[in-house]
Amino acid sequence: MVKRSRILGCGSYLPANIVTNDDLAKRVDTSDEWIVQRTGIRSRHLAAEGELTSDLALAAAVRALEHAGVEPGSIDCIVLATTTPDNTFPATATKVQAALGAKGFALDIQAVCSGFIYALSIADNFIRTGQAKRALVIGAETFSRLLDWSDRTTCVLFGDGAGAVVLEGYDGNGNAGDRGVLSAHLHSDGSQYDLLYVDGGVSATGTAGHVRMQGQEVFRHAVSKLSSVVEEALVANGLEPAAIDWLVPHQANQRIIDGIARKLKLSTDKVVLTVDRHGNTSAASIPLALSEAVHDGRIKRGDLILMEAIGGGLAWGSALVRW
Ligand code: UT7
C-alpha cells in the first residue's frame, strides 16, 4: 500500500468585473484582433478596488469545501500559491485559515504561474509523510495589481481569480489506477530569471513593481519545457498519451496549449480551455479550469488528468491526477 492524496472536491471564484479586449483598446494601443490571434484571450475578470487575494481565495475555498462535503475545521493544512499576497507578511494563507476556522498550519508558496502545481505537490508530500491528513490547496491572484497599464505587451494578458481543491490521504495500491495525485514533477532554472519578472520587490526597491516579460523567449521555453515535463510525467507512471482523459493546462496562451495538445495527439475536446474568458490568472489558472470542467460534468470519477504550467523563474512542472 502507498499513501496517496485524493481530491475530494474543488471550487473557484472570479471577480464580477469583466474587461473585454475592446475595453483595453481604449486604454492602450491594441486591438481585439491582435489579442485573440496571438493569445486566444477575449476577456478577463479584474478584482474590484479593495477586493484582495485573500477574499478570492476564501470564496474559492468555501466552494471547494462545500463540494467536498467536509467541515473547514477538519482541514489541518492550507497551501496557498500566490504571487500577489495581501501583505508581504504574514502568509495570506493564515488569513484564509482564520476566516475558515481551519486547524493545523497554513503557508503561502511562490512559483508564479506554476504555483498551483508546486502547491499541489507540497500538500501531497505533507499528506504522504503523515504531516497532514486533509489539506486545502489554493491558487489565488490579484495579478492585475502587478500590471503596468501603459505596457500593451503585458497588460492585455493577465486576469484575477482563484481556485481550490481539498486533498485527503488514503491508502492506494501504488499504481496508476489509484485515485488522486499520481505524480508531480517540478523544475526551475534561475538563469532565466530576467525573462519574466517584476521590476520591484521588498528587498530590491521597497515597492511591488510591475511585470516585465520577454514574451517570445518565454514562449520558446514554454513549448520545449512543457513538452518534456509532460513526457516525464507519462514515463514515470508507465502511461501512454492515449491514457489521458483531460489536459488541464496553465492558461497563458492558446497557441502554447494547442502545441502541447498536438504533441500528445489529444483532440481539442479533451483540453480544458478557459484562457478565452479568464486570460492568464497565474497560480489560479489550473484550479479555475479544473473546477469548471468538474462542475459542468466533463471530468468524471476515474478520469486521468494531466496538468502542466510554466512561468517566472523560470519555474515549470506537471502533475498527473486521477479524479
Ligand atoms: O504565464 C507565464 C508564461 N507566459 C507565457 O507563456 C507567455 C509566452 N509568450 C506569449 O504568449 C507571446 O509571446 C505574447 C502573447 C506575449 C506575444 O505574442 P508574440 O506573437 O510573441 O508577439 P511579439 O512579442 O513578437 O510581438 C509582435 C508585434 C510587435 O510589433 P512589431 O515589433 O512586430 O512591430 C509588438 O510590439 O506585436 C506588437 N504587440 C502588440 N500589438 C498590439 C505586442 N503587444 C501588442 C498588443 N497589441 N497588446
Side-chain angles (χ1 to χ4, degrees):
M1 280 196 303
V2 168
K3 198 61 140 181
R4 294 275 198 202
S5 317
R6 68 181 155 210
I7 302 184
L8 298 181
C10 59
S12 65
Y13 176 80
L14 288 159
N17 182 26
I18 298 172
V19 175
T20 66
N21 293 344
D22 286 334
D23 294 331
L24 290 180
K26 292 176 194 142
R27 293 177 79 156
V28 285
D29 181 16
T30 190
S31 64
D32 179 57
E33 190 191 4
W34 189 95
I35 302 171
V36 171
Q37 265 183 15
R38 303 284 176 136
T39 71
I41 300 167
R42 293 178 184 275
S43 60
R44 70 287 291 143
H45 292 247
L46 298 187
E49 210 183 317
E51 196 174 21
L52 305 185
T53 294
S54 61
D55 298 321
L56 275 50
L58 180 63
V62 166
R63 288 175 182 176
L65 289 164
E66 277 171 12
H67 183 230
V70 304
E71 290 301 319
S74 70
I75 297 293
D76 58 3
C77 166
I78 299 177
V79 185
L80 192 159
T82 189
T83 309
T84 47
D86 289 9
N87 297 95
T88 304
F89 81 87
T92 300
T94 59
K95 239 191 199 179
V96 176
Q97 180 193 33
L100 288 174
K103 307 275 185 309
F105 60 97
L107 67 151
D108 286 1
I109 69 110
Q110 159 61 300
V112 210
C113 296
S114 299
F116 183 75
I117 303 266
Y118 272 62
L120 186 71
S121 176
I122 289 166
D124 178 44
N125 280 307
F126 280 138
I127 286 175
R128 296 199 312 161
T129 56
Q131 224 170 334
K133 290 192 166 49
R134 226 177 229 179
L136 192 53
V137 181
I138 309 171
E141 302 278 16
T142 47
F143 213 85
S144 58
R145 309 256 153 83
L146 289 176
L147 298 175
D148 172 354
W149 289 100
S150 66
D151 176 10
R152 69 176 184 173
T153 69
T154 52
C155 76
V156 303
L157 304 175
F158 295 91
D160 301 332
V165 300
V166 180
L167 291 185
E168 182 181 68
Y170 81 105
D171 292 322
N173 294 319
N175 59 38
D178 283 346
R179 286 186 64 208
V181 181
L182 300 180
S183 67
H185 290 88
L186 310 180
H187 297 275
S188 61
D189 176 5
S191 71
Q192 309 295 340
Y193 195 96
D194 294 339
L195 289 187
L196 174 51
Y197 69 104
V198 164
D199 62 4
V202 181
S203 181
T205 60
T207 63
H210 292 121
V211 174
R212 305 294 172 209
M213 175 164 71
Q214 294 178 42
Q216 273 190 19
E217 273 299 291
V218 176
F219 193 102
R220 198 173 57 77
H221 281 283
V223 173
S224 69
K225 289 180 165 51
L226 291 175
S227 297
S228 65
V229 81
V230 154
E231 174 77 15
E232 194 179 1
L234 291 170
V235 169
N237 290 280
L239 293 168
E240 296 294 326
I244 299 166
D245 294 300
W246 298 102
L247 176 65
V248 182
H250 172 50
Q251 312 275 329
N253 188 317
Q254 179 151 7
R255 290 186 289 145
I256 297 174
I257 297 171
D258 289 346
I260 301 302
R262 263 198 308 276
K263 190 177 159 56
L264 292 167
K265 298 194 172 63
L266 282 183
S267 59
T268 47
D269 59 352
K270 288 190 157 196
V271 181
V272 180
L273 266 187
T274 54
V275 66
D276 54 332
R277 291 156 291 124
H278 299 177
N280 180 348
T281 57
S282 183
S285 88
I286 290 177
L288 271 163
L290 177 72
S291 192
E292 182 170 293
V294 167
H295 288 279
D296 68 17
R298 273 178 289 172
I299 293 180
K300 296 191 171 55
R301 168 79 68 97
D303 282 356
L304 185 68
I305 303 165
L306 174 63
M307 305 172 185
E308 40 84 344
I310 185 166
L314 294 174
W316 66 102
S318 62
L320 265 173
V321 172
R322 193 171 294 285
W323 191 254

